[in-house]
Amino acid sequence: MEELEPKQKSTFDGYERLKKDIIRGVFPAGQKLLMSALKDRYGLGVGPLREALSQLVAEHLVIAINQKGYRVAPMSLEEMRDIYDARANLEAMILTLAIERGDDSWEASILARTHTLSKVMELRTQEQMLEIWDSRHKAFHSAIASGCGSKHLLQLRSQLLDQAERYRHLWLKSTVFSEEALRQKRVEHATLVDAILARDAVKASALMREHLMTPVPIISEIIKNSMPALHA
């Protein structure tokens, strides 16, 4: 990767930090993003912040208000369900292609990621546990998708994942700290991997679709319970 110039690095760092804060609810849906507060929080000038905000507008995490600055994009049941439905169907299609095109090294990468994800680690804080499990879970699914061999499909997949992140974080916080929920995920992952290694595209794609839709009822309940706050 080409090394960024100091100004580019500053903009990228600001973008990454602001995006993370939005995903984690530091700035709730609908909140106005005041430039003065952002400058203080991230230690950046107006230029880099505007570039970071423009990128987040393109990712549908922030909305630009004419002459009035920026707000965190709203969240809704309808958007969440549409994003998850699109993701589940796209991932199922990508997996079908990956089973058709993936080689032995692809299978090996899936097994390696499965092993890493299934390991239980002693972590000092809940925040560490959330970070580690989420990164390993993403790596597991990325390893599966990589076998499709299509740069454009993987790009679409990445875009949908970005749009789902705020909703995923709601699900993660209610799942990662539950032994029963993690046990169920391990079962789902093992069943999915078995179907992939058996090269059963029909079964594997159906399992993938079902697996990716399991958070929807949980997220729906969270959104319903916090709807006034989300739309304030």
Side-chain angles (χ1 to χ4, degrees), residues 70-121:
Y70 300 88
R71 286 187 185 275
V72 178
M75 297 171 73
S76 70
L77 280 169
E78 292 75 17
E79 181 188 57
M80 182 273 292
R81 288 169 178 161
D82 185 42
I83 290 171
Y84 267 80
D85 182 63
R87 278 191 66 219
N89 282 289
L90 180 64
E91 292 268 4
M93 181 180 71
I94 286 174
L95 177 52
T96 297
L97 290 172
I99 288 174
E100 177 187 323
R101 300 170 179 175
D103 56 14
D104 289 347
S105 63
W106 170 67
E107 289 188 3
S109 71
I110 294 172
L111 289 171
R113 296 300 186 183
T114 303
H115 175 69
T116 303
L117 179 59
S118 66
K119 287 183 68 175
V120 176
M121 294 185 63

Side-chain angles (χ1 to χ4, degrees), residues 69-178:
Y70 300 88
R71 286 187 185 275
V72 178
M75 297 171 73
S76 70
L77 280 169
E78 292 75 17
E79 181 188 57
M80 182 273 292
R81 288 169 178 161
D82 185 42
I83 290 171
Y84 267 80
D85 182 63
R87 278 191 66 219
N89 282 289
L90 180 64
E91 292 268 4
M93 181 180 71
I94 286 174
L95 177 52
T96 297
L97 290 172
I99 288 174
E100 177 187 323
R101 300 170 179 175
D103 56 14
D104 289 347
S105 63
W106 170 67
E107 289 188 3
S109 71
I110 294 172
L111 289 171
R113 296 300 186 183
T114 303
H115 175 69
T116 303
L117 179 59
S118 66
K119 287 183 68 175
V120 176
M121 294 185 63
E122 291 295 327
L123 299 170
R124 282 177 285 181
T125 67
Q126 288 190 336
E127 187 69 15
Q128 284 180 319
M129 186 172 181
L130 189 151
E131 290 256 8
I132 295 293
W133 193 90
D134 188 33
S135 66
R136 292 184 179 186
H137 189 234
K138 286 179 179 176
F140 167 73
H141 279 282
S142 292
I144 293 172
S146 67
C148 77
S150 170
K151 179 180 177 181
H152 288 89
L153 281 175
L154 293 175
Q155 186 175 38
L156 287 173
R157 176 183 178 272
S158 178
Q159 291 169 356
L160 277 173
L161 185 58
D162 278 345
Q163 292 175 37
E165 276 296 272
R166 284 192 297 170
Y167 297 106
R168 283 189 72 255
H169 193 70
L170 295 176
W171 168 75
L172 277 172
K173 287 192 294 184
S174 69
T175 302
V176 172
F177 311 125
S178 163

Side-chain angles (χ1 to χ4, degrees), residues 200-220:
D200 188 337
V202 174
K203 181 178 180 180
S205 62
L207 286 170
M208 178 65 82
R209 190 179 297 107
E210 182 181 346
H211 173 66
L212 290 180
M213 290 301 287
T214 53
V216 170
I218 298 169
I219 301 171
S220 296

Side-chain angles (χ1 to χ4, degrees), residues 19-38:
K19 180 177 181 177
K20 185 175 182 179
D21 282 347
I22 289 172
I23 287 168
R24 298 194 171 190
V26 174
F27 300 110
Q31 179 171 320
K32 189 169 184 181
L33 296 169
L34 299 173
M35 198 63 72
S36 57
L38 297 181

Side-chain angles (χ1 to χ4, degrees), residues 59-74:
E59 294 177 15
H60 308 290
L61 288 174
V62 170
I63 55 175
I65 307 167
N66 290 336
Q67 307 302 319
K68 295 182 181 179
Y70 300 88
R71 286 187 185 275
V72 178

